[in-house]
Amino acid sequence: MAIKALRGTYDIFPPKSKLWQKVENLARELFDFYGYGEIRTPIFEQTSLFSRSIGENTDIVSKEMYTFQDKKGRSITLRPEATAPVIRAYLQHNMQQLNQICKLSYLGPMFRYERPQAGRNRQFYQLGTELIGSANPYYDAESIALAYDFISRLGIKCPAVKINSVGDTQSKSNYATLIKNYLSPKISSMCGDCQIRIEKNPLRVLDCKNPSCKEHIANAPSLLDSLSETSKTHFDKVREYLETMEIPYTIDNYLVRGLDYYTDTIFEIIHSNLGSQDVLGGGGRYNNLVQEMGGPSVGAVGFAFGIDRLILVLEALGQLGPKTNSGLDFFILNIDDSVFNQHIKLIKRLREKNIKIDICAENKSFKAQMRNANKLNAEFVIIRGSDEIENNVIKIKNMNDKTEETISITDDDSLFNAVLERIKQNDKKPVF
Ligand code: AMP
């Protein structure tokens, strides 16, 4: 039986990988533009990092982690998200001592044992940012603005930005009591998961997709009504800044997120093309996490987009059609073995000059090699068969207008200069 990729994982290869690179490159450039520097953390960490920070009773920790024992019996987990590893790294490397706001961005694979479906995989990819060291509401708004800017620059029009506030620790606990009391007469008719959640993690009840549970929570008390004065003021400021920056948003009173560490502002960016997995990305503020992980009491805010979902939307919109190879300057037809070594020497020298040149080392027919040149989007083809060798010439064929030039060559240098001269005439910028 041939070995296949595991369920919930997949391969990304050309031409689609071009689209992935485009998304990733844009993220890198934009994050840099907003003052974020890239952090790369390990793909696996101690299990306790995630169970403590994300929350023991969340779906991620209780059901979805790829956890295993290493050869020394230590419990290791493939990272299901990047916020906890980033904060772990921030503290491990004493970045708080820099005494300034720390802006870190990341990009890479995450792992969750979920039921695979469109837009939901077991190995998926996130790109995101974390701003550590301030509880100022401006940074909540700036993170949302950055997320919105990214989506807009990708060409994804009209994403819906939903925001809400879960409030500080006090507000969260007020609301937990409120929702518990509200739902206690109805809880026996709610799903099994909700019956557990109402005891262990009451806010998550708001996120249940079960139709009968949804009915029960439709008129539940609003999170915003439970906010402490400080959280209320914070949220009002976030809204004010978003309005100043003209970021369109709506408030969703029942929005909650799957990770326990959030405090105050949370947000999601939704796209209608995605069906049931319609959340392109989300995030929010988490003011207690750094301290809970043994660091100072500093505020932090961040977000993550799922790259898999961004790709699905871009494909559906046809905004960034898959591009083929970006094209060669020259393709050398490999017709006569006697000059093969001279050609590979030429290729080496031209590549040092950033000229994009290639040859096919296999002995294919003239026709097949021309087809290959076309496929590779070559601008010029170098033809050097036995006639040309005998007459000390090469032919350079322009693949656009199909014209051919014959150029005399005597040695390696004249061959090199002839090809270089041809590309100079073409006024083509080198690839680098
Ligand atoms: P979260 O870390 O749960 O806040 O998720 C942030 C974003 O990551 C989501 O909006 C999705 O775009 C993406 N995401 C989360 N889980 C998955 C998954 N299993 N498969 C694909 N994308 C995911």
Side-chain angles (χ1 to χ4, degrees):
M1 243 287 258
I3 296 175
K4 296 201 170 144
L6 291 169
R7 189 165 136 80
T9 71
Y10 57 95
D11 306 302
I12 306 160
F13 49 89
K16 215 193 235 188
S17 46
K18 279 258 166 207
L19 191 53
W20 281 74
Q21 287 170 353
K22 204 160 181 170
V23 172
E24 291 164 358
N25 290 343
L26 178 73
R28 287 200 169 97
E29 280 168 27
L30 198 65
F31 292 165
D32 177 73
F33 188 66
Y34 276 72
Y36 285 81
E38 186 182 355
I39 181 166
R40 299 184 189 203
T41 65
I43 287 199
F44 54 84
E45 301 262 4
Q46 288 182 38
T47 301
S48 56
L49 171 67
F50 301 112
S51 48
R52 279 198 223 147
S53 58
I54 298 171
E56 297 276 3
N57 297 312
T58 57
D59 284 352
I60 297 179
V61 172
S62 63
K63 305 185 203 159
E64 297 168 0
M65 294 211 298
Y66 276 92
T67 296
F68 57 95
Q69 292 205 333
D70 73 2
K71 292 195 189 299
K72 286 222 165 126
R74 290 168 292 219
S75 184
I76 306 289
T77 293
L78 299 184
R79 62 180 186 196
E81 58 100 57
T83 303
V86 170
I87 300 302
R88 196 256 320 123
Y90 170 85
L91 293 173
Q92 184 174 335
H93 303 288
N94 283 320
M95 294 185 210
Q96 72 272 26
Q97 280 180 0
L98 298 172
N99 222 1
Q100 61 191 32
I101 291 171
C102 182
K103 287 177 155 185
L104 297 169
S105 64
Y106 61 84
L107 196 158
M110 310 292 155
F111 306 85
R112 293 183 197 171
Y113 192 82
E114 294 196 79
R115 195 173 49 79
Q117 62 186 95
R120 198 202 268 167
N121 303 301
R122 290 181 172 167
Q123 173 167 336
F124 61 99
Y125 297 79
Q126 283 188 337
L127 52 88
T129 65
E130 311 294 347
L131 181 146
I132 312 152
S134 175
N136 193 302
Y138 166 69
Y139 293 114
D140 309 38
E142 195 198 60
S143 292
I144 297 171
L146 166 54
Y148 190 77
D149 194 0
F150 174 63
I151 289 298
S152 309
R153 286 183 199 235
L154 273 178
I156 300 176
K157 304 247 161 49
C158 308
V161 180
K162 286 188 185 172
I163 67 168
N164 196 16
S165 174
V166 291
D168 50 19
T169 315
Q170 188 55 52
S171 321
K172 277 165 101 174
S173 126
N174 291 347
Y175 186 75
T177 315
L178 208 64
I179 187 89
K180 249 174 154 170
N181 290 341
Y182 175 81
L183 289 177
S184 61
K186 318 169 197 277
I187 196 70
S188 55
S189 55
M190 292 177 78
C191 75
D193 279 346
C194 278
Q195 298 189 10
I196 298 170
R197 284 184 194 129
I198 198 70
E199 288 309 321
K200 296 191 163 170
N201 198 1
L203 263 69
R204 293 291 300 163
V205 171
L206 298 182
D207 207 20
C208 188
K209 302 283 180 280
N210 185 308
S212 85
C213 297
K214 270 182 154 175
E215 237 170 69
H216 287 311
I217 57 169
N219 297 309
S222 152
L223 268 160
L224 294 179
D225 294 335
S226 297
L227 295 187
S228 66
E229 275 312 307
T230 323
S231 287
K232 220 179 258 170
T233 312
H234 182 95
F235 193 53
D236 286 345
K237 275 284 172 198
V238 174
R239 295 182 53 195
E240 180 189 322
Y241 295 142
L242 285 175
E243 276 149 34
T244 307
M245 292 189 281
E246 297 181 19
I247 307 295
Y249 69 88
T250 52
I251 296 179
D252 178 347
N253 285 328
Y254 297 117
L255 178 68
V256 283
R257 309 224 65 241
L259 305 100
D260 281 355
Y261 48 63
Y262 288 114
T263 55
D264 288 301
T265 320
I266 51 170
F267 70 95
E268 281 185 349
I269 297 195
I270 316 276
H271 200 277
S272 51
N273 268 28
L274 279 169
S276 64
Q277 302 302 312
D278 62 355
V279 185
L280 279 175
R285 176 161 283 289
Y286 50 96
N287 281 347
N288 301 333
L289 186 60
V290 180
Q291 193 172 29
E292 278 166 15
M293 287 174 63
S297 167
V298 291
V301 58
F303 66 80
F305 278 105
I307 308 182
D308 318 39
R309 292 188 193 173
L310 294 171
I311 298 289
L312 285 177
V313 172
L314 289 170
E315 281 184 326
L317 294 176
Q319 296 268 4
L320 297 169
K323 283 227 170 89
T324 48
N325 197 293
S326 55
L328 287 175
D329 297 318
F330 292 97
F331 186 73
I332 307 181
L333 298 194
N334 182 16
I335 307 169
D336 194 309
D337 252 358
S338 68
V339 287
F340 186 73
N341 281 339
Q342 198 186 16
H343 286 164
I344 60 176
K345 201 175 195 176
L346 173 71
I347 290 173
K348 179 168 181 291
R349 286 178 74 185
L350 286 168
R351 282 181 177 159
E352 283 166 6
K353 295 269 175 219
N354 299 331
I355 305 297
K356 208 169 169 196
I357 183 164
D358 215 342
I359 190 166
C360 173
E362 297 293 333
N363 274 329
K364 295 263 168 65
S365 72
F366 184 88
K367 238 179 161 176
Q369 293 199 54
M370 283 303 276
R371 263 202 308 272
N372 201 3
N374 267 321
K375 230 179 175 168
L376 296 170
N377 225 346
E379 201 140 338
F380 297 101
V381 165
I382 297 174
I383 302 167
R384 202 171 173 213
S386 50
D387 285 355
E388 286 81 16
I389 295 170
E390 205 171 298
N391 296 318
N392 288 325
V393 294
I394 55 164
K395 276 193 186 134
I396 299 185
K397 181 172 178 145
N398 183 325
M399 297 295 277
N400 295 318
D401 62 16
K402 308 291 175 212
T403 55
E404 267 183 23
E405 279 178 79
T406 303
I407 306 168
S408 300
I409 51 141
T410 47
D411 55 10
D412 286 350
D413 283 345
S414 58
L415 175 62
F416 172 74
N417 288 328
V419 177
L420 201 59
E421 195 46 44
R422 189 64 202 79
I423 202 78
K424 274 190 193 150
Q425 282 170 25
N426 214 35
D427 197 24
K428 184 149 188 286
K429 286 197 194 86
V431 278
F432 297 112

